[in-house]
Amino acid sequence: MIAKVNLHDLAQELQIQTDGWKGFLHTPTGEFVGLQDEALSAAEEGTPDEDFADWEQEEIELAKRIIETDEYIALPSKWDIHEHSMMENFCFSIENEKMRDVFFDAISGNGAFRRFRDLAERAGVMKDWYKFRDEAYEEFGKKWCERNEIPYTNEPRK
């Protein structure tokens, strides 16, 4: 049986995906776990335990459970999520045409994320951006759950 996933929690997990880190859903409990890529590699390669510190060995044991059982589903990586597309969609939502054009200019080329956040801060729309982004992550998570046949709820945690 697969436990119901809270979309708010899933959205938070999706937002912290980074290079060198992999997140997983433990399907029986609905809890999220994360591991460094090195722990997964060590578990796959069978690297001797004495090569690692105690805390690393715990992570490798978790990696072994992830590899050896079907109780874990890998979360999408940051490359699967495309936060840049979220920024583009936010730009489309700006009603003022001149401001919308300024935002579109900000997200072009290198440094787009920094320029976008700086502009959003100066324009006083950071709260709007965070709300938009959080909703986009929840929608992404909802679709991911549906594709993987994972039950979900969007009820806030108590």
Side-chain angles (χ1 to χ4, degrees), residues 44-64:
E44 289 170 345
E45 296 167 6
T47 307
D49 289 346
E50 62 268 7
D51 291 351
F52 298 96
D54 289 344
W55 68 269
E56 291 173 310
Q57 290 178 24
E58 291 175 18
E59 199 169 302
I60 293 168
E61 288 303 314
L62 174 58
K64 288 177 184 175

Side-chain angles (χ1 to χ4, degrees), residues 19-95:
D19 290 334
W21 183 262
K22 188 69 182 156
F24 296 87
L25 168 67
H26 184 237
T27 58
T29 64
E31 294 179 14
F32 300 100
V33 297
L35 295 172
Q36 295 179 43
D37 288 345
E38 293 83 14
L40 287 167
S41 295
E44 289 170 345
E45 296 167 6
T47 307
D49 289 346
E50 62 268 7
D51 291 351
F52 298 96
D54 289 344
W55 68 269
E56 291 173 310
Q57 290 178 24
E58 291 175 18
E59 199 169 302
I60 293 168
E61 288 303 314
L62 174 58
K64 288 177 184 175
R65 285 194 305 277
I66 289 170
I67 292 167
E68 294 169 357
T69 71
D70 61 355
E71 293 184 345
Y72 295 88
I73 297 175
L75 296 178
S77 74
K78 73 175 192 172
W79 303 110
D80 298 320
I81 296 168
H82 305 290
E83 192 168 321
H84 191 274
S85 294
M86 291 179 195
M87 292 188 313
E88 283 182 334
N89 290 334
F90 180 78
C91 293
F92 281 118
S93 76
I94 298 171
E95 292 180 15

